[in-house]
Amino acid sequence: EDQVTQSPEALRLQEGESSSLNCSYTVSGLRGLFWYRQDPGKGPEFLFTLYSAGEEKEKERLKATLTKKESFLHITAPKPEDSATYLCAVQLFGSQGNLIFGKGTKLSVKP
Amino acid sequence: NAGVTQTPKFQVLKTGQSMTLQCAQDMNHNSMYWYRQDPGMGLRLIYYSASEGTTDKGEVPNGYNVSRLNKREFSLRLESAAPSQTSVYFCASTTRDGTYGYTFGSGTRLTVV
């Protein structure tokens, strides 16, 4: 069964304290891995797509990396405005674009 | 603003009532999706439409029907609402292969009592 697991479920950081979120996957035929940010009461907001092992993408304080079994979202020197739930999703070959989501990591950054 | 628009934002139904959730996108996307989000469960796919004129079941289709009215609009219907359908519903759209990510609407929070 195709599965996406995110850890930790929740993460509390002090402002400026760098850390990483993990997304591990067990799927048949990964086409792409997506990272989203979701604020309370809002829909997910697209951050990155990664397609091949070794690929990296950056946006402001966020950097996403991909291996054959997992992806990391590194947050460097986070600010309180980075507080949100971060969702990981995978797209499989032949899936007509459907995404399989993990349950998310809720990040809180305290000033 | 360009994006995905969902209506209504909030709805309370009694068990057995019916309703239709509306979704429209103005980005000329081919594919559209309906997800539900429940605490501790993550986002789960209900139905999708890979292109205008086609619809298919996702992971949790029971109790729902959909209509791809045209390229812009994709509606989700609950024929006889049940308390288990209390959830937040999100519509999303993307280009045919999803290369540039999926754009989500702001959601419909549905409570069935």
Side-chain angles (χ1 to χ4, degrees):
Chain A
E1 181 184 355
D2 300 316
Q3 205 165 12
V4 179
T5 304
Q6 291 188 246
S7 62
E9 291 185 10
L11 180 63
R12 299 181 69 172
L13 299 174
Q14 289 295 128
E15 184 172 2
E17 179 186 3
S18 301
S19 188
S20 294
L21 282 56
N22 178 263
C23 172
S24 63
Y25 56 91
T26 307
V27 299
S28 53
L30 178 74
R31 183 179 184 277
L33 186 141
F34 295 74
W35 282 99
Y36 283 86
R37 169 190 172 128
Q38 186 174 24
D39 293 299
K42 296 188 177 181
E45 176 187 347
F46 172 72
L47 293 173
F48 305 108
T49 309
L50 302 166
Y51 287 105
S52 56
E55 187 175 1
E56 299 181 350
K57 288 192 176 175
E58 290 187 66
K59 180 180 181 179
E60 296 180 356
R61 294 176 292 281
L62 300 177
K63 178 180 177 181
T65 62
L66 181 65
T67 72
K68 288 186 177 180
K69 293 184 178 181
E70 58 192 345
S71 177
F72 293 94
L73 184 66
H74 307 277
I75 303 177
T76 302
K79 298 181 177 182
E81 54 262 41
D82 294 321
S83 297
T85 296
Y86 290 85
L87 303 174
C88 168
V90 298
Q91 182 189 47
L92 309 182
F93 284 107
S95 67
Q96 298 192 19
N98 301 340
L99 297 178
I100 302 172
F101 281 86
K103 296 180 181 180
T105 293
K106 184 175 182 179
L107 173 66
S108 299
V109 182
K110 302 300 181 184
Chain B
N1 291 337
V4 177
T5 302
Q6 290 184 237
T7 55
K9 293 189 182 301
F10 301 94
Q11 184 72 49
V12 178
L13 289 179
K14 293 182 179 179
T15 298
Q17 286 185 319
S18 62
M19 78 162 294
T20 299
L21 281 64
Q22 305 287 352
C23 174
Q25 54 91 7
D26 59 4
M27 296 170 288
N28 200 35
H29 284 168
N30 293 306
S31 304
M32 299 185 73
Y33 307 82
W34 276 106
Y35 286 88
R36 61 177 288 174
Q37 187 173 40
D38 302 292
M41 297 294 293
L43 282 152
R44 293 181 293 168
L45 182 65
I46 305 171
Y47 269 94
Y48 65 98
S49 172
S51 61
E52 187 178 357
T54 69
T55 60
D56 284 288
K57 296 178 181 179
E59 180 186 356
V60 289
N62 291 345
Y64 305 95
N65 284 300
V66 291
S67 295
R68 183 75 182 264
L69 305 171
N70 48 55
K71 190 171 185 179
R72 291 185 63 247
E73 298 173 287
F74 188 40
S75 63
L76 178 71
R77 183 162 178 83
L78 287 71
E79 291 291 350
S80 179
S84 60
Q85 294 178 304
T86 293
S87 187
V88 182
Y89 292 86
F90 288 101
C91 177
S93 70
T94 189
T95 54
R96 194 178 299 278
D97 61 3
T99 302
Y100 301 105
Y102 295 66
T103 302
F104 282 80
S106 58
T108 295
R109 186 174 295 273
L110 175 67
T111 302
V112 183
V113 297

